[in-house]
Amino acid sequence: MLFQSILASSSLLGLALAATHNVMVGMSGLTFMPNNTAAAAGDMVTFHFYPAKHSVVQATFAAPCEPSAGGFYSGFVPTSSGESMTTFTIMVNDTKPIWFYCSQGTHCQSGMVGAINAATTGNTVEGFAAAAAKATNNTTPQVADGMGGTLSMSNMTSTASATKSMSMSMTGTATGMMTSMTGSSAASPKNIGTGLGYSAAFAFLGYLFV
Ligand SMILES: *[C@@H]1O[C@H](CO)[C@@H](O)[C@H](O)[C@H]1NC(C)=O
Ligand SMILES: *[C@@H]1O[C@H](CO)[C@@H](O)[C@H](O)[C@H]1NC(C)=O
Ligand SMILES: *[C@@H]1O[C@H](CO)[C@@H](O)[C@H](O)[C@H]1NC(C)=O
Ligand SMILES: *[C@@H]1O[C@H](CO)[C@@H](O)[C@H](O)[C@H]1NC(C)=O
Ligand SMILES: [Cu+2]
């Protein structure tokens, strides 16, 4: 019963602390939209994929179309029309800038780059895109799809699909915390817009702190 009251208060904590931000991948030409997201530590960023076939790869500001060591990678997510049911979610752990690009074809050079917490002066998204335009290669990392984040199916109705989601969510994910987040978000309608979703993962953290 102590456990139950802790769980009840944990969801309130979760609501207060963590937000989910959405980024549209290829929804409007070769772009990430928005191309810069302001996120707090503990927030989640979910990438939604549009036709035809894009990826999200973490980079450094200095090497815009190259994977950063240990960075995240969604894998290629194909869809022939409309939004793919597959989403890729990463956790933001601090407010340092996070840079990313699409490794398809020459999308990176063509401006398909974005950031989380980029500055408005100095190392800006515009500067990153300008450097990307001059990159000689656009490199897909040689790591597992879903590395550094969580792939999940956002639009499922059946138990069979839910099982698939849980197994997909294991890709590139080591912690039980991330898995519990995915199970929960997969069961609820997805949010398009900013700051509408709240992370069950953080609710879980919250209950550890109570
Ligand atoms: C989600 O499911 C609904 C109902 O089956 C369907 O109309 C819609 O196109 C689906 N969305 C995606 C992104 O697949
Ligand atoms: C980033 O997005 C803003 C708002 O849509 C746009 O004005 C700007 O040109 C974009 N910058 C780059 C480098 O894509
Ligand atoms: C680009 O790719 C080629 C062929 O894989 C490689 O030899 C070269 O070093 C790469 N250039 C950069 C800047 O990474
Ligand atoms: C944030 O931390 C988690 C847990 O250590 C890690 O799995 C994830 O890759 C980190 N996020 C980023 C963007 O580095
Ligand atoms: Cu692309």
Side-chain angles (χ1 to χ4, degrees), residues 32-48:
F32 291 95
M33 203 169 71
N35 55 29
N36 187 27
T37 296
D43 286 1
M44 314 299 277
V45 174
T46 296
F47 294 94
H48 301 263

Side-chain angles (χ1 to χ4, degrees), residues 77-175:
V77 180
T79 169
S80 53
S81 75
E83 189 196 333
S84 169
M85 287 190 294
T86 299
T87 60
F88 180 58
T89 298
I90 60 157
M91 182 182 241
V92 175
N93 299 312
D94 54 46
T95 55
K96 288 184 219 146
I98 294 172
W99 306 96
F100 52 82
Y101 65 100
C102 173
S103 65
Q104 177 68 272
T106 53
H107 292 192
C108 182
Q109 287 91 337
S110 303
M112 197 161 183
V113 297
I116 297 164
N117 293 323
T120 52
T121 59
N123 287 357
T124 60
V125 170
E126 279 67 30
F128 189 57
K134 297 180 199 149
T136 45
N137 297 338
N138 186 18
T139 306
T140 295
Q142 301 300 305
V143 299
D145 294 355
M147 185 60 70
T150 305
L151 285 169
S152 51
M153 304 289 277
S154 61
N155 195 19
M156 289 176 312
T157 50
S158 75
T159 308
S161 313
T163 306
K164 186 177 178 193
S165 163
M166 291 309 288
S167 65
M168 283 188 67
S169 74
M170 302 302 284
T171 311
T173 303
T175 66

